[in-house]
Amino acid sequence: MTSKELVIDLLRKQKERESTAGPESIQGRVEEWNHSVESLLSRIREWLRDAEAAGLLTVDMIPVEVREERLGTYQSSGLKLSMPAGVSVRIAPKAREVVGATGRVDFEALPKKAILLRRDGDSWHFAESNPQRGGWSFRDLTEDSFWETLRTLIA
Amino acid sequence: MRQSALTIAEDWPRPAKVLEYYQRSIEAIAALRQAAGQLGPVSRFYGMTAVEVDQAIRELVAELEHEVTMMLTASFEAALQVDFYDRVSRKKKDQASRKLRQLAYRPLKGRPRGVRTTRIVVEEILDVWMEQTGRKQLIGNLKQLFQFRHWLAHGRYWVQRSGLSNPDPFDAWSRGKAVFDALPDFDSAMLS
């Protein structure tokens, strides 16, 4: 086979592999990731329910378009929290393919940002910048850590 | 006779210092945003609507993230170069040190034998580490970041094709840290 034929053959096999439905295909990875994000957003909505019912903030689902080198462009969902003082927090997936993790969701309240990483299956952790310790440290996502993160973002 | 090629500075901005700068800058921008409504006519923000202020803040953050990503990547390069220099100087017998020494003293046209290259391109050091550790994906991720850094550092005048759409300091840090964690006997104190 010529080099061209070898490359074409390799590309054909890669395409076949990627088009096969399953957790390893692009489509499978995007679906799995979107499912995980939706489940995360449901948890967050649940934690916010009391504050929302008391009229202290509003929570809206927002469409999010994500672009990734390996997964291409796909549609996902996020949340927009609007506070009485006009501050808003956008919670949205940033990427599925992340170094050292299997997904990243950002909490953005201009100009601040908090980073939530999915690691070890479906377990979520906030990455907290800690320059004194040489970078970032990680904290499990719990209702407490969620509220603390929110406080830091809107303070 | 072999001669030393360059003198390593006693102090250089460690990644932790760059991250501290990032955190302080974000805090300062947050304070600016809060105070924007009270700023007087001498301010660049005077007369802006809330939407315009937010847009200006968004642009400040975007530029800050580029700047910090560039500095953080430069700091990673410094750590890799200092580590390289140290391994070459100590003349250790392990395979990685031997390969790095070969890189440092490889014969080049116009240079006498046994004289070390003034400065080795960081990608070449990473190539040795890729071969020695077998961590192609991790090291490829960091090389992508270096491509992005070159684009930033050279004025962004070409269409950026590193494959990274918009890395922020956390992305950059993750890529560097993953490689440093994979290098045998790497002195992690260099990061903080």
Side-chain angles (χ1 to χ4, degrees):
Chain A
M1 278 175 123
T2 65
S3 294
K4 182 183 173 184
E5 286 166 340
L6 284 168
V7 170
I8 296 293
D9 188 51
L10 181 69
L11 295 176
R12 193 171 288 126
K13 282 178 184 159
Q14 282 180 357
K15 192 177 174 188
E16 277 169 17
R17 210 166 35 237
E18 289 299 349
S19 63
T20 315
E24 294 311 311
S25 70
I26 286 178
Q27 195 190 335
R29 272 181 288 171
V30 170
E31 281 173 10
E32 181 275 330
W33 170 232
N34 273 340
H35 183 71
S36 180
V37 168
E38 278 164 26
S39 153
L40 170 74
L41 298 181
S42 300
R43 256 169 100 185
I44 291 173
R45 284 207 84 145
E46 192 57 42
W47 291 335
L48 292 166
R49 199 167 300 282
D50 289 348
E52 197 180 6
L56 299 175
L57 51 79
T58 58
V59 183
D60 294 302
M61 287 291 283
I62 51 169
V64 177
E65 186 176 90
V66 186
R67 284 181 199 173
E68 295 197 51
E69 184 193 7
R70 295 189 184 122
L71 302 184
T73 301
Y74 57 90
Q75 303 303 316
S76 191
S77 307
L79 293 177
K80 184 181 175 194
L81 319 185
S82 306
M83 320 285 172
V87 177
S88 66
V89 179
R90 183 177 182 271
I91 303 174
K94 166 94 173 169
R96 158 69 178 77
E97 306 286 304
V98 184
V99 176
T102 54
R104 168 176 160 178
V105 169
D106 283 359
F107 288 43
E108 291 172 330
L110 193 69
K112 297 180 187 171
K113 175 162 69 179
I115 294 168
L116 186 63
L117 294 175
R118 188 177 68 152
R119 302 159 91 198
D120 313 318
D122 215 14
S123 159
W124 294 90
H125 310 265
F126 282 112
E128 297 176 337
S129 174
N130 197 340
Q132 288 77 21
R133 291 175 57 192
W136 267 264
S137 53
F138 298 95
R139 188 175 177 199
D140 291 353
L141 170 68
T142 60
E143 185 169 358
D144 274 351
S145 64
F146 166 75
W147 284 108
E148 199 175 319
T149 300
L150 207 55
R151 187 177 62 82
T152 310
L153 288 173
I154 65 174
Chain B
M1 191 184 88
R2 287 183 175 182
Q3 63 185 49
S4 184
L6 80 166
T7 307
I8 301 292
E10 270 188 34
D11 196 20
W12 44 274
R14 303 291 200 270
K17 210 169 186 177
V18 179
L19 287 178
E20 184 64 39
Y21 166 79
Y22 174 54
Q23 291 302 114
R24 286 178 180 170
S25 301
I26 288 288
E27 200 177 311
I29 294 172
L32 165 70
R33 186 176 184 238
Q34 277 188 344
Q38 288 101 55
L39 295 172
V42 291
S43 167
R44 307 284 297 177
F45 290 83
Y46 185 71
M48 282 188 182
T49 65
V51 171
E52 287 167 340
V53 168
D54 276 1
Q55 185 53 34
I57 297 280
R58 202 165 277 120
E59 287 166 11
L60 278 177
V61 172
E63 277 307 305
L64 175 71
E65 292 199 337
H66 273 348
E67 179 194 331
V68 171
T69 297
M70 185 168 76
M71 287 311 298
L72 200 51
T73 314
S75 187
F76 289 154
E77 171 171 359
L80 284 164
Q81 295 278 6
V82 171
D83 174 76
F84 167 73
Y85 187 87
D86 183 57
R87 289 177 199 261
V88 169
S89 304
R90 280 193 287 139
K91 299 177 182 167
K92 286 177 74 178
K93 302 275 187 267
D94 62 283
Q95 182 69 5
S97 297
R98 283 174 195 272
K99 290 284 179 188
L100 291 169
R101 268 201 304 281
Q102 280 173 17
L103 177 63
Y105 290 103
R106 73 183 162 183
L108 281 183
K109 196 176 168 188
R111 193 180 61 203
R113 287 184 72 80
V115 174
R116 189 185 295 180
T117 305
T118 310
R119 203 178 66 83
I120 298 287
V121 177
V122 70
E123 282 86 349
E124 289 189 273
I125 297 174
L126 287 173
D127 285 341
V128 172
W129 281 123
M130 191 183 281
E131 184 192 312
Q132 292 301 309
T133 61
R135 308 296 296 269
K136 286 187 179 176
Q137 175 90 49
L138 285 187
I139 290 171
N141 286 338
L142 185 56
K143 286 177 94 172
Q144 264 188 313
L145 184 67
F146 277 112
Q147 272 186 46
F148 187 79
R149 194 275 306 261
H150 294 326
W151 177 73
L152 288 174
H154 292 279
R156 311 178 211 177
Y157 68 90
W158 67 83
V159 176
Q160 193 270 118
R161 297 195 202 281
S162 68
L164 301 179
S165 59
N166 216 2
D168 63 10
F170 180 77
D171 294 316
W173 179 82
S174 307
R175 284 165 191 265
K177 183 74 168 45
V179 168
F180 292 123
D181 285 347
L183 301 188
D185 303 322
F186 176 78
D187 179 10
S188 59
M190 275 204 283
L191 304 180
S192 54

